[in-house]
Amino acid sequence: MDRKCTCSDLVGQYIDDGRLLLIQTIGSGSNGVVYLALDLATENPPPRQYAVKCVPKAPRGSRALYMQRQEVEFQATVCDHPNILTLHTVIEDEHNLFIVSDHCPGGDFFTFLSNNRPFRRNDAYLKRIFLQLLDAVEACHDENIFHRDIKPENILISADAKQVYLCDFGLATTKPFSRSFGCGSSHYMSPECIGFDMSLQGYSTRQNDVWALGVILLSMICGHNPWRHATIEDPCYRAFVKDSDYLGKTLPISAAANNIFRRIFMPEPLRRVSLPLLRLMVLQIDTFFMTDDEISRSSDHVKNAAARFFAEPVPRPPTSPPLERWIHVPGWDFSDNTLCSEGSADSSASPPTPPPHYDEPVQCEAADPTPAILEVPRGQNNNEDEHPPESMHHSGVQFGHEPRERIRIRRSFPSKASLKERHMGLVGRIFDRFSPHRVEH
């Protein structure tokens, strides 16, 4: 008897009529699993890599199906931008959808920030990367697409760390004004999106994205988020509401950078800085960082944060094993040409130090009444009304699998050049009824 396919045990399986081979699990979440795939139709080794997001097919007529269709449509609309992850195609079998995108071997931006601290005292590099992210968000807004879940985990980075790519449009919307409070990841939500003020009739999704960019910018400058949640119950946010210079008094950021954050974190959404103006302010700033002399004359909070962020050794990021350790592909020899980045370590090497827990406060020796800023947390989605039904959730990923026949699919593999013109037709076609005995070539 055939066993029903799941998203969590497909390593070693083929999709796209044998063209793509799933070789490794590279990510997982409540809605599905992301695999690294090889394109076996590549003419010369090594084969091209893709990231394949596998999600269970939602029942017809369900809200989950609507969300799946919408996520594909939104990403296809904007993925021609150089800083938005390219969507190549969507493949389906009887049980799952496979969303095929570019693979970014640099990993996600959260891990990059935690393991490398790459922007310390590097204004030019910080500007370059942040403006790429800002331009990606502005490109979405120009298409009336508002992301609503901008966070480091939803940003990918290239192997050479010179390009970033916005991804995961599962919570995006075309509504400039939303009443879906709490949609996104709470550490990056604006106060009006969190929805603690019951008198609000909704919030601006555009301004909510601007707020999230501000949280990310601060973490790039000094490795901290400004607060846990932007509510008056949070001591750090309450201190900021009372004194808009609070961040400049507790973190080693320059006066010009502090002015940017005052404009981004305006409590009144309509007074918040626009993306074009924010871009201009970032371009014109001389430095985001305090000088050593300014730090020496600042509070103990600033001195402590500077010592931790600027002086501590940086842990080495994790490295990938050679491809031949993952899986054997008949007809391919990877002995001299692996697909992992340079400096691959042996699999027995100890893992890198994990990022500090969000509840670990910055320790200050002096008795300063100002609440301490906390380290960058890993965001959690708080969008229960937007999630697929419980039946769609798959936890406890299985890495082992039994041999199985190749998954039969019926989708083509279009090039990026034709995607912009064809994405609407693609979105409509991928949800046609599946026939397991028919395959398109």
Side-chain angles (χ1 to χ4, degrees):
M1 179 181 296
D2 291 337
R3 181 167 57 92
K4 182 178 179 180
C5 299
T6 65
C7 286
S8 61
D9 59 354
L10 299 181
V11 172
Q13 303 304 310
Y14 297 81
I15 61 174
D16 202 10
D17 199 24
R19 176 172 179 174
L20 294 179
L21 172 61
L22 308 180
I23 64 170
Q24 186 188 34
T25 302
I26 57 176
S28 61
S30 60
N31 294 336
V33 181
V34 181
Y35 292 95
L36 179 65
L38 300 183
D39 181 3
L40 302 184
T42 306
E43 295 182 358
N44 299 308
R48 184 174 179 180
Q49 299 179 33
Y50 292 96
V52 178
K53 180 179 180 180
C54 175
V55 295
K57 291 175 67 174
R60 285 184 174 275
S62 65
R63 176 167 179 78
L65 177 64
Y66 170 79
M67 297 296 290
Q68 288 177 352
R69 184 191 299 268
Q70 182 173 261
E71 177 179 359
V72 171
E73 179 182 349
F74 288 163
Q75 187 172 351
T77 300
V78 296
C79 72
D80 59 336
H81 189 277
N83 298 113
I84 296 176
L85 188 67
T86 299
L87 171 66
H88 290 278
T89 192
V90 179
I91 303 165
E92 66 176 344
D93 69 8
E94 188 175 359
H95 305 290
N96 304 311
L97 294 177
F98 300 90
I99 303 173
V100 183
S101 303
D102 279 346
H103 171 54
C104 298
D108 70 79
F109 202 52
F110 177 88
T111 304
F112 182 70
L113 288 174
S114 301
N115 290 340
N116 297 279
R117 302 181 196 173
F119 303 107
R120 296 187 296 185
R121 306 285 192 187
N122 194 336
D123 291 290
Y125 185 38
L126 194 154
K127 283 185 182 182
R128 170 177 178 163
I129 297 300
F130 182 74
L131 289 178
Q132 288 180 20
L133 178 58
L134 187 153
D135 289 346
V137 174
E138 188 169 18
C140 294
H141 290 187
D142 288 344
E143 297 286 346
N144 292 317
I145 295 173
F146 308 100
H147 194 282
R148 292 200 298 183
D149 198 20
I150 300 172
K151 58 182 179 179
E153 296 91 327
N154 287 339
I155 303 165
L156 302 178
I157 191 162
S158 62
D160 60 6
K162 295 181 179 179
Q163 292 280 119
V164 291
Y165 309 93
L166 184 63
C167 64
D168 198 341
F169 287 78
L171 299 181
T173 182
T174 56
K175 297 179 180 178
F177 196 75
S178 175
R179 299 186 64 181
S180 295
F181 296 104
C183 180
S185 300
S186 59
H187 303 310
Y188 304 90
M189 290 181 193
S190 62
E192 64 272 12
C193 175
I194 293 177
F196 273 52
D197 185 352
M198 302 306 296
S199 65
L200 293 176
Q201 298 300 310
Y203 65 93
S204 167
T205 51
R206 182 188 301 271
Q207 297 303 327
N208 186 61
D209 282 352
V210 172
W211 185 281
L213 286 175
V215 178
I216 294 173
L217 177 60
L218 187 64
S219 69
M220 293 170 68
I221 296 173
C222 58
H224 289 73
N225 272 25
W227 34 72
R228 287 189 182 94
H229 309 100
T231 66
I232 204 65
E233 286 79 13
D234 186 291
C236 295
Y237 183 68
R238 184 168 62 246
F240 177 80
V241 171
K242 292 180 179 179
D243 181 4
S244 61
D245 289 323
Y246 165 70
L247 296 177
K249 294 177 180 178
T250 53
L251 291 173
I253 60 176
S254 67
N258 183 56
N259 184 53
I260 290 178
F261 291 117
R262 290 178 59 183
R263 296 295 306 274
I264 293 176
F265 297 135
M266 282 279 187
E268 303 85 358
L270 295 180
R271 296 183 60 194
R272 215 163 284 160
V273 65
S274 65
L275 289 181
L277 180 56
L278 177 58
R279 192 180 205 284
L280 181 62
M281 295 176 74
V282 170
L283 283 172
Q284 291 180 341
I285 196 171
D286 290 327
T287 182
F288 296 94
F289 308 96
M290 279 187 179
T291 65
D292 290 337
D293 181 61
E294 289 172 331
I295 291 173
S296 67
R297 293 184 280 106
S298 298
S299 68
D300 288 335
H301 278 289
V302 172
K303 294 176 182 177
N304 185 69
R308 288 172 61 91
F309 190 67
F310 296 130
E312 283 187 349
V314 180
R316 293 179 63 86
T319 54
S320 303
L323 183 62
E324 63 266 19
R325 296 188 183 180
W326 294 338
I327 196 165
H328 173 68
V329 183
W332 291 93
D333 179 14
F334 300 104
S335 57
D336 297 321
N337 204 347
T338 64
L339 297 181
C340 54
S341 58
E342 294 183 4
S344 297
D346 186 84
S347 58
S348 62
S350 58
T353 304
H357 191 273
Y358 182 74
D359 290 330
E360 285 186 34
V362 175
Q363 300 297 326
C364 297
E365 296 179 0
D368 193 321
T370 307
I373 303 289
L374 304 182
E375 301 253 358
V376 179
R378 181 172 287 277
Q380 299 293 329
N381 284 339
N382 284 335
N383 51 294
E384 297 178 0
D385 61 321
E386 301 279 355
H387 270 176
E390 282 298 320
S391 61
M392 299 290 291
H393 291 193
H394 289 265
S395 58
V397 174
Q398 301 286 332
F399 288 95
H401 66 91
E402 298 176 3
R404 204 175 346 180
E405 293 183 359
R406 291 184 179 182
I407 300 171
R408 307 299 291 175
I409 54 84
R410 51 171 302 188
R411 294 294 148 230
S412 61
F413 206 81
S415 65
K416 180 177 179 180
S418 63
L419 181 63
K420 181 67 176 180
E421 292 77 15
R422 297 171 56 192
H423 79 271
M424 291 305 295
L426 170 65
V427 171
R429 292 197 304 274
I430 63 174
F431 292 94
D432 291 341
R433 184 176 298 276
F434 171 80
S435 173
H437 304 294
R438 181 183 176 187
V439 178
E440 290 184 1
H441 297 280

